[in-house]
Amino acid sequence: MTSQSSGPFPVPLSVLDLVPVGSGVTAGEAIHNSLDLARHTEQLGFVRYWLAEHHGMPGIASSATALLIGQVAAATSTIRVGSGGVMLPNHSPLVVAEQFGTLGAMFPGRIDLGLGRAPGTDPATARALRRLTGRALTEDEFPDQLAELTTFLAGAEFPTGHRLHGVSAFPRAEVPPIWLLGSSGYSAQVAGILSLPFSFAHHFSSQNTVPALDLYRSSFRPSPGRERPYAMVATAVLVADTDERADWLAGPIRLTMMRLRTGRPAAYPTPEEAAAYPWTELERSAARQATASHVVGSPETVRAGLQRLLDATGADELMVTTNVHGHADRVRSYELLAELAKDLTPPSRPSVAAASR
């Protein structure tokens, strides 16, 4: 195990990128913007840059997650790059092992493999992704799928009589650190039992954050190389020079989340489009509920909000997602975040050992 470096920050900071596609912006331009953001955040001292797998959403261009990880890793030189996450029910474990074995061979020591249990899409799209079975996997099947993946990555043999006996994944490279991602207690408990690092999706399941982290820590079983739990909290953050400017820039994500929650996904609108939208009270309520955990404001406001989050969760690392229409505004938010984060205080709970980097 190697120790976790926080770079210039008292608490390590990382990036979760959905590759947002704004209205009037092409997917190619959105990907180019994400590569530029990766280079900026690397220079600012962020620890890792993860891409999220989502499908069937016109405002998100990160569906081919492994492909984008390769592009981001090639565009950078030191920041860790990974998946936040690969939604394992959508894929054959063999294919995931081949993809991440290839990435590990191309970028040794820089690839993370974050795994999720949800499909990251609607039921019809999930069925299309699982074409051979035509159904989503159940909770009970996820551990078996995870066991297959870890066996492939380790280059181990399946026992005689196993349906995959004699099947191997190539190319083989350094096994990337595996993280489990979750928004409830299920993955938290599995991560603890398997002594894996755990990342919780606070940005869309804030009511479950503290209970899931408590369950993770209480379930954790030390193993060689992973003696203590390591918890990362993913949160939505938007920083601007003033509270008013930040609130204006946050209009599009409120409208986007409302449309998503009501089954009308679309590209990210501009702040002007969001301000002109004829909101109903029901829609405003849905938007407030969907974005209640987001930390939005001036550097002073955001620093206070993130400090409260750290104190409440005892997070060992924060992973920040920032989705705005304008690329310059997104870069500026991360620049301001990097500056204010130098004043954050690590949580008071005992420090824990880091996950393998």
Side-chain angles (χ1 to χ4, degrees), residues 154-242:
E157 289 286 340
F158 290 93
T160 302
H162 191 284
R163 65 183 182 81
L164 296 175
H165 178 69
V167 180
S168 299
F170 297 100
R172 291 177 182 165
E174 173 186 319
V175 177
I178 293 176
W179 294 66
L180 286 195
L181 282 57
S183 58
S184 67
Y186 180 88
S187 293
Q189 188 170 30
V190 173
I193 291 171
L194 298 179
S195 65
L196 295 173
F198 177 61
S199 179
F200 189 84
H202 176 77
H203 55 303
F204 63 80
S205 186
S206 59
Q207 72 277 10
N208 293 324
T209 304
V210 172
L213 293 179
D214 286 344
L215 181 59
Y216 167 59
R217 292 175 178 125
S218 65
S219 302
F220 191 84
R221 298 177 182 176
S223 65
R226 293 191 182 95
E227 291 80 14
R228 296 186 181 184
Y230 189 86
M232 178 163 64
V233 172
T235 185
V237 175
L238 200 168
V239 198
D241 293 303
T242 66

Side-chain angles (χ1 to χ4, degrees), residues 67 97 101-102 139 201 246 267 277 313 345:
L67 192 158
T102 301
E139 267 189 6
Y277 181 80
T313 63
T345 302

Side-chain angles (χ1 to χ4, degrees), residues 53 55 89-91 119-122 124-132:
E53 178 185 343
H55 300 275
N90 296 339
H91 309 282
T121 189
D122 61 272
T125 305
R127 288 193 297 271
L129 288 164
R130 297 287 302 172
R131 183 177 63 86
L132 295 181

